[in-house]
Amino acid sequence: MTIIKTAELAAEDAAVAPENMTSLQSVDSAVAAPCEMPGLHGGAHFAQGQAPSTVRKIKEAAKTLLPDALFLSLLHHKCTGRYPNLIRPVTFNEKILQRNLHPDPRYIELTDKLLVRDYIARKIGDKHLIPLIAAPDVFTPEVFDALPDAFVMKANHGSSFVEVVRNKSETSFDKLKKLADQWLRTEFYYVGRERHYRSIEPRVFFEKLLLDQRGQIPADLKMHCFGGRPGGPIIYILVISDRFGTATHGDVYDVDWNHLDIAIGDYKRSAAPGPRPPNLDAVLDIAVRLCEDFDYVRVDLYAPDDRVYFGELTFTPGAGVLPFTPDSIDYEWGKLMA
């Protein structure tokens, strides 16, 4: 097993060896504008709108023929400006790329947004689960008719498969069915070659729409948790505010709610820090409990008013091609990972 794995890693590293840079650059255009690919850097919706053109379909089909390591090397270069070292990873992104290629078997169940609910209930209690309305084998008009006036439709097998419905009378079964079918046809593994997604059976499900006392959708609290160390994990909090609105921002805080001069992915920082959540201690406590079995995991939570709800566990954020500003954060966070 060791010999096989070493050979695999050697083959992956060959794709980014200095002597092969010219060859890589010659096929770099095969990955067209990958940093704009939905689902990688946290967009609110996945690939909605007009059907792709024939040329786009051909390009997408061609990309699926690239070996995973080569595809990820090109993707990493497009998004960060560097080709990765897959044998001796140093940066955060490089270490995430290694997880894409050699995922822990636990990632499959814990990444599946339906299966993970049992794990969360055991770890922190089902009171922290967003109420599940329905998880049908088939989405039918009868399922739609039984849904409440407000809900969220999601899919379990990827990132950014989310449709918020505030008023069911303003949508229709046909519209949601078309979107759901589009999600279910998407092989999310091909978006960022995160191999653990290949084993997740696609499902559509419906959750309660979370709103705070002002009737607003609460911010996403993405807790980047670096564990496996004495004294507890190191945690950075990425707060995505107004995710489904027109003033979306992404701000990074430490556990003392200091507003850090860091930007992650496509999100722009706010001019001033947001208010400290009144239940920040409870949020941090839950994040610590959920990350205790891993050297790194991103724990997504929501904290409307005095409540804390679980969102998801993410083991390969941004598929390992996540731009940081400043770029030095990629190296600093890399030192925090095993």
Side-chain angles (χ1 to χ4, degrees):
M1 180 63 71
T2 301
I3 294 174
I4 293 173
K5 186 171 183 180
T6 301
E8 289 174 349
L9 290 174
E12 290 160 356
D13 197 47
V16 291
E19 61 270 23
N20 290 334
M21 286 300 176
T22 301
S23 298
L24 268 181
Q25 291 163 359
S26 68
V27 296
D28 210 12
S29 60
V31 182
C35 287
E36 299 174 6
M37 291 167 66
L40 283 185
H41 299 157
H45 298 278
F46 186 94
Q48 299 181 43
Q50 296 180 348
S53 66
T54 300
V55 172
R56 179 62 181 270
K57 288 180 180 179
I58 292 173
K59 287 183 177 180
E60 293 299 318
K63 284 191 290 186
T64 66
L65 300 177
L66 292 174
D68 288 352
L70 176 58
F71 177 88
L72 288 171
S73 295
L74 297 174
L75 194 58
H76 186 275
H77 177 256
K78 282 281 188 178
C79 293
T80 71
R82 299 186 303 274
Y83 290 108
N85 186 330
L86 297 177
I87 286 287
R88 292 173 292 278
V90 173
T91 67
F92 175 80
N93 276 312
E94 288 172 344
K95 293 180 179 183
I96 295 300
L97 290 180
Q98 285 284 39
R99 289 184 169 203
N100 288 5
L101 296 168
H102 304 285
D104 185 315
R106 295 177 296 174
Y107 295 172
I108 298 170
E109 177 182 354
L110 299 182
T111 299
D112 185 317
K113 292 175 176 58
L114 282 172
L115 294 182
V116 72
R117 293 174 64 90
D118 289 337
Y119 175 82
I120 297 303
R122 295 193 302 269
K123 291 287 289 187
I124 60 174
D126 57 12
K127 67 179 181 179
H128 296 293
L129 292 171
I130 300 173
L132 181 65
I133 299 171
D137 292 330
V138 180
F139 182 30
T140 64
E142 291 74 22
V143 172
F144 176 79
D145 291 342
L147 293 172
D149 289 336
F151 56 88
V152 180
M153 183 174 79
K154 298 181 178 180
N156 67 323
H157 68 297
S159 175
S160 300
F161 294 122
V162 180
E163 178 73 3
V164 174
V165 176
R166 287 179 171 270
N167 188 340
K168 191 169 70 168
S169 66
E170 296 177 357
T171 188
S172 67
F173 167 74
D174 289 339
K175 178 182 177 180
L176 294 183
K177 182 67 162 63
K178 181 179 179 180
L179 180 58
D181 288 346
Q182 181 180 334
W183 291 348
L184 295 176
R185 288 193 303 268
T186 301
E187 295 186 57
F188 194 77
Y189 152 71
Y190 283 114
V191 174
R193 303 301 173 91
E194 298 159 280
R195 288 179 174 173
H196 47 292
Y197 281 102
R198 288 188 299 190
S199 299
I200 298 176
E201 180 182 354
R203 296 274 302 278
V204 168
F205 63 101
F206 301 85
E207 288 181 339
K208 177 182 177 179
L209 174 61
L210 290 184
L211 299 174
D212 61 22
Q213 291 179 348
R214 302 171 300 158
Q216 302 297 313
I217 296 174
D220 288 15
L221 306 179
K222 299 183 180 296
M223 322 287 287
H224 290 268
C225 303
F226 299 88
R229 64 190 68 245
I234 294 174
I235 299 177
Y236 292 95
I237 309 166
L238 171 61
V239 180
I240 309 300
S241 55
D242 196 30
R243 178 183 172 191
F244 299 95
T246 58
T248 305
H249 288 87
D251 296 277
V252 182
Y253 300 86
D254 63 17
V255 294
D256 296 316
W257 207 250
N258 295 306
H259 192 207
L260 305 179
D261 190 14
I262 298 172
I264 298 178
D266 303 324
Y267 295 113
K268 300 196 181 305
R269 297 176 72 246
S270 301
R276 176 190 175 107
N279 53 351
L280 180 60
D281 288 344
V283 169
L284 291 169
D285 176 66
I286 287 175
V288 168
R289 291 159 64 187
L290 290 180
C291 78
E292 63 185 2
D293 297 328
F294 311 100
D295 61 356
Y296 168 81
V297 64
R298 197 190 76 200
V299 178
D300 291 6
L301 301 172
Y302 304 97
D305 307 319
D306 60 346
R307 298 164 291 164
V308 181
Y309 288 103
F310 169 77
E312 64 181 86
L313 297 179
T314 301
F315 298 94
T316 52
V321 297
L322 195 60
F324 288 92
T325 305
D327 183 58
S328 59
I329 299 301
D330 201 1
Y331 291 86
E332 291 178 18
W333 282 21
K335 293 177 182 178
L336 299 178
M337 294 182 67

